[in-house]
Amino acid sequence: MIKGHVKWFDSTKGYGFVVVDDNLGDVLLHANVLRNFGRSSVAEGVEILMDVQGTDRGRQAVEIHKIETSALDEPQEVPAPSSEVYSGQDASDLSASRVKWFDKAKGFGFVNAFGDPDDIFVHMEVLRLYGLSDLQPGEAICVRFKAGPRGKTAVEVRSWDHANLVMRGTRTS
């Protein structure tokens, strides 16, 4: 297993690169390997623990064991949403949602919480705070949101896997 951090990942292209500290060059991270871990994207700078295989075209990740977003889990610059919107910080406050659409170039999109017809606005910066770089239509995610004068806005976006692990008590961050 090798630990590194994401140099960049483009979900449209379907790949990106991870920088590792062994002086043997960057490691290719293909979207299929990321999907096998339950993610469709990953943000720059996020740490990854992975198995790597050498090929005639260089090294590539073959399995992801952990994506560490703890440094991104507790954003310092963004205040926590007010208690008027929801109470507490546990995973039960996350709403199971599906991505309606997301345009990475525009930097925003919309999701729908299960059982709620109202759209929830999602900005790219909120994705980055929680270790994501893109969303795909139909993707299952979990969001916390606040109600504002222009509708609902996501204040936290988590991968389905992350929220599921937290609810089962196998992850604390």
Side-chain angles (χ1 to χ4, degrees), residues 27-59:
V27 175
L28 174 71
L29 175 60
H30 195 272
N32 289 337
V33 174
L34 198 54
R35 272 193 286 280
N36 287 341
F37 187 74
R39 301 279 293 265
S40 65
S41 67
V42 65
E44 292 177 13
V46 171
E47 288 188 2
I48 294 183
L49 185 62
M50 62 195 163
D51 287 336
V52 174
Q53 178 179 13
T55 71
D56 58 340
R57 297 178 66 179
R59 297 188 304 169

Side-chain angles (χ1 to χ4, degrees), residues 12-33:
T12 304
K13 291 180 179 180
Y15 68 92
F17 287 93
V18 176
V19 176
V20 293
D21 293 331
D22 61 7
N23 295 322
L24 297 175
D26 295 347
V27 175
L28 174 71
L29 175 60
H30 195 272
N32 289 337
V33 174

